[in-house]
Amino acid sequence: MMLWMMCPGAEEPLQLSGRIVITAGVEFSDELRNSSSKQFKSLAFDLQQLVSEAFTFSDLLRFYKFCQVQHFSPGSVVVTFDLWFSQLIDMKEVEQQLKAGLQITGGGALVIDINNIQIT
């Protein structure tokens, strides 16, 4: 678990939740239900890196802090994750910027349904 280190005068980070659907490149398995499994950790790491890379192409880069995968569920592979920003950011703006960044970065071996990204 990542902890946010506070600096004097710094604001508490804003946490948003998100959902991405991976349609190809990985299949759902019981291993992905277990956050201690090697498969969970590997896919979570890849997704967190992919999301972070996507934000490097966005106007939100200076506010983006990190992404943490919470769990995977069936339905292709549905990924639920949390995003942290250094200040209040509009959810629709985060969603649009993430979609745009993922279109630029591709996804490597993972195929992500860009039209099925949700930020809440």
Side-chain angles (χ1 to χ4, degrees):
M1 173 177 267
M2 295 186 156
L3 297 176
W4 180 265
M5 302 303 288
M6 295 297 293
C7 298
E11 292 183 22
E12 195 169 318
L14 171 72
Q15 178 184 344
L16 297 173
S17 293
R19 184 177 166 272
I20 289 177
V21 177
I22 304 170
T23 57
V26 66
E27 290 185 24
F28 187 80
S29 69
D30 284 337
E31 291 282 314
L32 290 177
R33 292 183 196 273
N34 178 0
S35 62
S36 298
S37 76
K38 182 178 177 183
Q39 189 178 8
F40 180 100
K41 290 177 181 181
S42 176
L43 185 56
F45 177 81
D46 291 347
L47 253 301
Q48 289 164 180
Q49 292 297 109
L50 186 61
V51 169
S52 293
E53 186 179 341
F55 278 114
T56 65
F57 294 100
S58 85
D59 296 335
L60 302 177
L61 174 61
R62 63 187 177 147
F63 306 116
Y64 173 77
K65 294 300 176 191
F66 63 92
C67 169
Q68 186 173 21
V69 170
Q70 297 300 317
H71 65 275
F72 299 104
S73 55
S76 296
V77 175
V78 179
V79 184
T80 304
F81 58 94
D82 292 330
L83 297 171
W84 279 265
F85 293 89
S86 62
Q87 69 178 44
L88 187 63
I89 305 284
D90 179 70
M91 289 183 293
K92 286 296 176 196
E93 179 70 14
V94 171
E95 195 172 294
Q96 290 170 354
Q97 295 288 324
L98 181 56
K99 286 178 182 181
L102 287 171
Q103 286 178 324
I104 292 168
T105 63
L110 301 175
V111 177
I112 295 172
D113 182 354
I114 298 294
N115 297 316
N116 202 359
I117 294 174
Q118 299 172 347
I119 303 295
T120 55

